[in-house]
């Protein structure tokens, strides 16, 4: 059983508590990261920690720990699980103070929480799933990995009610991302994914897929695409740290590649799995 790290102390899960005055609880005033560990090795650790730094910087919370301390906390958590296949969750909120007030005081100290849960890394490409097209109702700073995920959760529940694996979101007809993933399409052997602007979270998996595609001489375009272009795609897949590359076979009732995994999707999923062992925390964005 994994322990829970809170502000420098370790707790058993049933003992782990945070103040009701924590701004994470009251205002969702905080950010998070999810780092996958494969047999004790973090995939793209520095990229995840760079993104944590960026999210903290954007919301004006200072990072309380140096990188080597984060690595040691995350490794301890991963190794507390039997096979050290772990999804490590890190959350940093602005901290706790009383009375509740929108504007935080300048002396407030961040609250750090980290924990790990067991995870079975994919060993083969998953069967294609069905996703459901929905309007993106979230805020306009989706580039920040904020714990404020109410919009994402509402959309995920809606998709689930329709029996879909994930929503695929659009703003005014342009595809953005999912509730917890990025999307890619393939058309005429070109790989398209929406640009990493403020409307999407720049997925660490997304970034690595783009690197793998470039290395495999697949043409890549980080360009917005429309609902029509999505529907006309030759292939579609989604990506995230825990799902890696997940083929998409249906958008609502519309089949993509006859509901089958496309060849470029399959090639990238295999490249992802075969390159995983080489991209542990020692490697810092050397690819792109
Ligand atoms: N977009 C959103 C909204 C997410 O929540 C996530 C992951 O949780 C992603 C994209 C994929 O990001 P990553 O590849 O870093 O896991």
């Amino acid at each position: 059983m994994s322990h829970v790290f809170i502000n420098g102390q370790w707790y058993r899960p049933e003992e782990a508590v945070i103040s009701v005055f924590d701004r994470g609880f009251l205002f969702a005033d905080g950010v998070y990261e999810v780092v996958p560990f494969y047999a004790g090795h973090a995939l793209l650790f520095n990229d995840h920690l760079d993104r944590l730094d960026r999210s903290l910087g954007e919301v004006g919370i200072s990072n309380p720990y140096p990188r080597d301390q984060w690595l040691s906390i995350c490794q301890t958590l991963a190794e507390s699980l039997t096979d050290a296949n772990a999804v490590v969750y890190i959350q940093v909120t602005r901290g706790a103070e009383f009375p509740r007030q929108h504007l935080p005081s300048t002396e407030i100290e961040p609250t750090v929480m980290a924990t790990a849960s067991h995870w079975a890394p994919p060993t083969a490409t998953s069967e294609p799933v069905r996703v459901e097209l929905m309007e993106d109702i979230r805020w306009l700073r989706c580039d920040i990995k904020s714990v404020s995920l109410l919009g994402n959760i509402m959309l995920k529940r809606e998709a689930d009610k329709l029996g879909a694996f994930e929503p695929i979101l659009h703003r005014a007809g342009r595809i953005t991302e999912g509730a917890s993933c990025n999307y890619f399409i393939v058309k005429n052997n070109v790989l398209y994914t929406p640009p990493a602007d403020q409307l999407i979270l720049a997925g660490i998996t997304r970034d690595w897929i783009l690197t793998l595609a470039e290395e495999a001489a697949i043409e890549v375009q980080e360009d917005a695409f429309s609902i029509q272009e999505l529907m006309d795609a030759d292939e579609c897949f989604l990506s995230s740290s825990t799902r890696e590359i997940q083929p998409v076979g249906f958008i609502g009732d519309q089949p993509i590649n006859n509901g089958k995994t496309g060849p470029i999707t399959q090639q990238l999923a295999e490249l992802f799995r075969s390159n995983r062992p080489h991209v542990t925390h020692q490697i810092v964005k050397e690819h792109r």
Side-chain angles (χ1 to χ4, degrees):
M1 165 84 62
S2 169
H3 286 108
V4 181
F5 175 93
I6 303 175
N7 290 342
Q9 307 287 326
W10 295 91
Y11 300 89
R12 287 202 295 275
E14 62 278 14
E15 293 172 331
V17 287
I18 283 178
S19 166
V20 294
F21 299 111
D22 195 276
R23 294 179 62 90
F25 178 64
L26 293 174
F27 298 107
D29 185 358
V31 302
Y32 74 107
E33 263 307 318
V34 172
V35 187
F37 274 73
Y38 297 74
H41 295 283
L43 188 75
L44 299 163
F45 183 80
N46 280 309
D47 296 32
H48 281 279
L49 268 280
D50 284 349
R51 188 171 64 185
L52 179 67
D53 278 338
R54 182 178 181 281
S55 297
L56 287 168
E58 289 297 311
V59 301
I61 298 175
S62 53
N63 187 341
Y65 302 135
R67 184 102 13 139
D68 56 350
Q69 194 173 345
W70 277 117
L71 182 59
S72 143
I73 295 164
C74 293
Q75 258 168 344
T76 306
L77 286 166
E79 284 161 13
S80 70
L81 300 174
T82 36
D83 53 8
N85 284 327
V87 174
V88 173
Y89 177 84
I90 297 170
Q91 176 169 317
V92 183
T93 71
R94 201 175 302 276
E97 65 183 353
F98 180 81
R100 176 186 179 277
Q101 52 187 4
H102 284 70
L103 187 64
S105 70
T106 46
E107 302 87 58
I108 194 163
E109 297 281 340
T111 303
V112 176
M113 189 282 273
T115 189
S117 50
H118 186 262
W119 170 61
T123 52
T125 313
S126 310
E127 286 302 304
V129 291
R130 188 167 71 78
V131 297
E132 199 65 47
L133 188 64
M134 290 182 186
E135 191 184 344
D136 197 340
I137 57 165
R138 304 169 305 157
W139 71 332
L140 297 173
R141 290 304 309 273
C142 294
D143 56 312
I144 300 170
K145 201 161 168 66
S146 157
V147 295
S148 173
L149 290 172
L150 192 53
N152 306 53
I153 289 163
M154 288 168 69
L155 291 159
K156 193 113 176 169
R157 290 186 74 237
E158 200 58 38
D160 184 66
K161 274 191 222 151
L162 298 168
F165 183 79
E166 264 281 340
I168 181 163
L169 306 175
H170 72 90
R171 281 190 202 266
R174 299 206 135 188
I175 302 302
T176 54
E177 59 176 348
S180 58
C181 62
N182 295 115
Y183 278 95
F184 292 77
I185 58 168
V186 177
K187 185 71 183 176
N188 299 331
N189 295 318
V190 179
L191 182 66
Y192 295 87
T193 196
D197 55 18
Q198 296 188 347
L199 300 184
I200 70 160
L201 182 74
I204 304 303
T205 322
R206 170 192 178 281
D207 198 43
W208 195 37
I209 291 167
L210 294 176
T211 301
L212 291 172
E214 280 165 10
E215 283 173 4
I218 296 167
E219 192 185 330
V220 165
Q221 296 231 359
E222 290 181 73
D223 266 345
F225 54 85
S226 65
I227 294 175
Q228 195 54 52
E229 286 165 316
L230 168 70
M231 296 303 187
D232 291 341
D234 299 333
E235 301 180 34
C236 178
F237 64 87
L238 60 83
S239 71
S240 79
S241 294
T242 52
R243 286 168 292 188
E244 299 183 349
I245 290 178
Q246 167 63 59
V248 171
F250 288 85
I251 318 282
D253 295 334
Q254 161 90 36
I256 303 289
N257 193 41
N258 296 317
K260 305 254 180 343
T261 300
I264 291 183
T265 306
Q266 182 65 32
Q267 183 188 357
L268 287 169
E270 283 168 16
L271 281 172
F272 195 107
R273 285 194 296 278
S274 60
N275 280 278
R276 265 179 346 200
H278 313 306
V279 195
T280 56
H281 60 261
Q282 291 92 340
I283 297 171
V284 193
K285 280 208 181 278
E286 279 163 356
H287 289 288
R288 305 186 83 222

